[in-house]
Amino acid sequence: FFECWMMADPERDAARTSYFKKKLEHQSNDSQLKALRLGMRDLKKEFDKSEDDLKNLQCVGQIVGEVLRQVDDEKFIVKASSGPP
């Protein structure tokens, strides 16, 4: 009985091989999905920022000024002019 149990069963080996292939495929798909979700999150942040920038441009009462120096990507030091001289 024990020898019969230890013999290789081709159907079982094929099923095991198929299982491991599918498991690797699943892990690969899972990592791709994770990367896509991270990319989507970054794109959403960029979209939200551009939406806020557009809203700010459409606001009434913006002050016109001269850019003196750029502090970083989003911030500037501006000399505001209060109107015509």
Side-chain angles (χ1 to χ4, degrees):
F1 174 73
F2 187 71
E3 290 174 357
C4 182
W5 181 74
M6 293 295 291
M7 290 177 52
D9 182 11
E11 195 173 314
R12 178 180 238 166
D13 289 340
R16 185 181 303 129
T17 302
S18 176
Y19 168 77
F20 285 119
K21 283 182 182 178
K22 287 294 181 182
K23 188 174 180 180
L24 286 173
E25 184 181 329
H26 175 72
Q27 288 174 344
S28 173
N29 289 341
D30 193 38
S31 63
Q32 288 176 356
L33 179 63
K34 189 174 187 177
L36 288 172
R37 284 183 177 157
L38 288 174
M40 195 167 130
R41 186 178 66 192
D42 293 339
L43 288 173
K44 181 166 176 21
K45 283 182 186 177
E46 186 178 332
F47 175 77
D48 290 342
K49 183 188 175 311
S50 64
E51 284 287 313
D52 289 341
D53 292 345
L54 282 173
K55 285 178 189 175
N56 289 336
L57 285 175
Q58 293 172 349
C59 288
V60 179
Q62 294 291 320
I63 298 173
V64 177
E66 177 184 354
V67 176
L68 297 176
R69 187 167 59 102
Q70 184 174 358
V71 178
D72 60 20
D73 288 339
E74 297 180 7
K75 296 180 182 176
F76 296 87
I77 295 177
V78 178
K79 176 181 172 184
S81 60
S82 60

